[in-house]
Amino acid sequence: MRIQDIGASPIFAATSKVAGRFVATWNAFATRWNPIVVIIVTCAVLTAPLVVWRGFHSDEGVALTVAKGAVEDGYWITPHLYNDRFVERPTLLSWIIAAVSAPFGGVNQFTARIPIILFLLAGCLLIYSLLRRVSASVPAALLGVALFLACPIVIRGYVMPTADMPLAVLLFVAFFVWWNGYDRGRIGIGRWAAIGGVLALASLMKGPQPISYFALGIGLFILITRDWKQIPGIVLAGIICIIPTAAWYGYVYAPGAEAQWANFMRLSPVAPLDNPVAGILNMISETIPAALFAMAFLVARGFGVRDRLPAGFLKATVCYASAAAIVILFWPNGSTTRYFFPSILPMCVFGALGYDVLAKRWPLSVGPGLLVTLGLLVYAFIYSAIAAPLMPKQFRSAQIDA
């Protein structure tokens, strides 16, 4: 059979019809109830059982131990691990957990995981709100949220108190605030100051390096568009951002701290991480199907498929998602997938825009991806709401006395 005859084949026609019905079913579901309520209920269903039934994982030990040190021993500003100074980076997430836990007398599963669940919910609402603001349909905006919740790296982190998700959400808040001002034609001093405050919180999560997602991304956008009037604002935001972080590093400094900082910032690492090829493959595998939807959208745009996006939005979002990510990908000492977490939220935005562009024209191009997305969410639901309660011993076996 010739390639040009595939579109006329009965099998292709039948498959396209099934995909069209599947897309129509999703559209009907997405518009049946209040989307905000759907997002909140979905997050609650996927996370609440894990708060009760899932034991602590070894990856959670640092954040929990630092939080316990703050509550029980008073080590609030200078983090400690088992009575040893832990000053390789700021630990805002541990401080938040400690602040939530202090009224209850100590750190437990509830107080440690509630902040993470709220950050997860905030990320979902940000994706939905941004998509609706740029004229995406409700089904597409909800799909953007579903893509985020279906990413394997996100599924593993639903309730895990590590700083990667909160950091990514805070950086996306800064981008969201910036874009709203840019789209309206003016970013005032107050908005830049607010952006600086959000970036300061993000910097206190894991140190200043991840701020490069916003700094390099928006800086590149300013350079490409030659919008030089934004330079004073981004400088102001940078100054506000760096003050509390620099103050913390100055407060905890002691001779020898430079080695810890250099190791954590991958300037002088103990061991190399993934090379660029492995980094790309791992990133795709950890973000399927969001990565596939996003690539489909960008390819469709490359072939001239039109959309209703505001002027500059695609360029700004691509700069934000990719400028720092490319630097990290080719960093001499390697990278790991969690370093790219801030790129996942804009990737889900692209994926949802791809759905809007392709669903009506070629439903067969989005049907399989939609099916995989819902399949991953069903897996996450079974894991959280069914397997965890029915097998409490297995799910609590990872618990540690952090």
Side-chain angles (χ1 to χ4, degrees):
M1 178 181 292
R2 294 177 301 175
I3 294 177
Q4 55 266 39
D5 293 335
I6 293 178
S9 70
I11 295 177
F12 183 86
T15 307
S16 296
K17 187 175 181 179
V18 172
R21 290 179 177 175
F22 190 43
V23 169
T25 301
W26 168 257
N27 292 342
F29 166 81
T31 54
R32 183 173 182 179
W33 295 288
N34 184 304
I36 303 300
V37 174
V38 171
I39 293 171
I40 294 173
V41 171
T42 301
C43 286
V45 169
L46 292 176
T47 60
L50 295 177
V51 174
V52 179
W53 300 106
R54 179 171 153 180
F56 286 131
H57 189 272
S58 59
D59 290 344
E60 304 168 288
V62 172
L64 298 176
T65 304
V66 170
K68 289 186 69 175
V71 174
E72 298 175 3
D73 302 316
Y75 296 131
W76 283 90
I77 300 179
T78 305
H80 279 65
L81 282 177
Y82 307 109
N83 294 321
D84 289 330
R85 281 165 49 91
F86 178 75
V87 294
E88 67 176 20
R89 59 178 171 85
T91 55
L92 178 59
L93 178 60
S94 295
W95 299 333
I96 293 174
I97 293 173
V100 173
S101 303
F104 301 95
V107 178
N108 57 58
Q109 289 176 229
F110 295 94
T111 59
R113 287 168 172 168
I114 290 301
I116 296 299
I117 294 174
L118 293 178
F119 274 110
L120 177 69
L121 176 61
C124 294
L125 294 175
L126 278 170
I127 292 171
Y128 178 83
S129 299
L130 183 60
L131 283 164
R132 294 294 291 151
R133 189 171 291 274
V134 298
S135 301
S137 65
V138 171
L142 275 182
L143 178 62
V145 175
L147 290 173
F148 181 61
L149 292 173
C151 287
I153 192 173
V154 177
I155 292 176
R156 292 198 304 273
Y158 279 168
V159 297
M160 186 180 295
T162 55
D164 300 301
M165 185 188 302
L167 171 63
V169 171
L170 286 172
L171 290 173
F172 204 59
V173 169
F175 176 79
F176 184 88
V177 173
W178 172 83
W179 169 254
N180 283 345
Y182 180 84
D183 189 40
R184 294 171 182 172
R186 183 176 182 275
I187 309 177
I189 294 178
R191 187 176 292 270
W192 279 116
I195 291 171
V198 174
L199 292 177
L201 295 175
S203 182
L204 290 172
M205 279 287 176
K206 293 186 70 173
Q209 281 183 306
I211 306 306
S212 60
Y213 272 93
F214 184 89
L216 293 181
I218 303 305
L220 179 60
F221 178 79
I222 292 172
L223 180 64
I224 292 174
T225 58
R226 299 184 179 182
D227 192 4
W228 310 123
K229 65 180 181 294
Q230 291 197 63
I231 292 179
I234 199 170
V235 170
L236 173 64
I239 293 173
I240 294 173
C241 166
I242 204 65
I243 288 175
T245 304
W248 181 85
Y249 278 104
Y251 181 86
V252 303
Y253 174 77
E258 301 92 338
Q260 294 185 54
W261 298 342
N263 179 53
F264 178 75
M265 295 181 182
R266 307 300 299 171
L267 300 175
S268 179
V270 175
L273 297 176
D274 293 339
N275 60 57
V277 174
I280 292 175
L281 295 177
N282 289 336
M283 178 65 173
I284 294 175
S285 67
E286 290 284 14
T287 57
I288 285 178
L292 299 181
F293 267 103
M295 287 188 284
F297 169 67
L298 296 176
V299 169
R301 286 276 305 190
F303 280 97
V305 177
R306 295 184 178 181
D307 51 47
R308 301 174 295 172
L309 294 178
F313 176 76
L314 179 60
K315 190 179 298 181
T317 311
V318 168
C319 288
Y320 169 79
S322 63
I326 291 174
V327 174
I328 295 171
L329 183 65
F330 291 98
W331 194 254
N333 296 309
S335 62
T336 187
T337 306
R338 58 190 175 85
Y339 293 172
F340 301 99
F341 216 119
S343 293
I344 295 177
L345 285 87
M347 183 188 298
C348 295
V349 170
F350 290 143
L353 294 174
Y355 177 85
D356 251 355
V357 167
L358 299 171
K360 291 183 179 179
R361 295 177 176 88
W362 305 291
L364 186 58
S365 65
V366 299
L370 184 59
L371 182 62
V372 172
T373 302
L374 297 179
L376 285 168
L377 290 178
V378 169
Y379 162 79
F381 170 76
I382 294 173
Y383 175 86
S384 171
I386 299 177
L390 293 180
M391 296 184 293
K393 183 177 180 180
Q394 289 85 345
F395 275 77
R396 294 184 63 84
S397 61
Q399 185 164 358
I400 62 172
D401 186 13

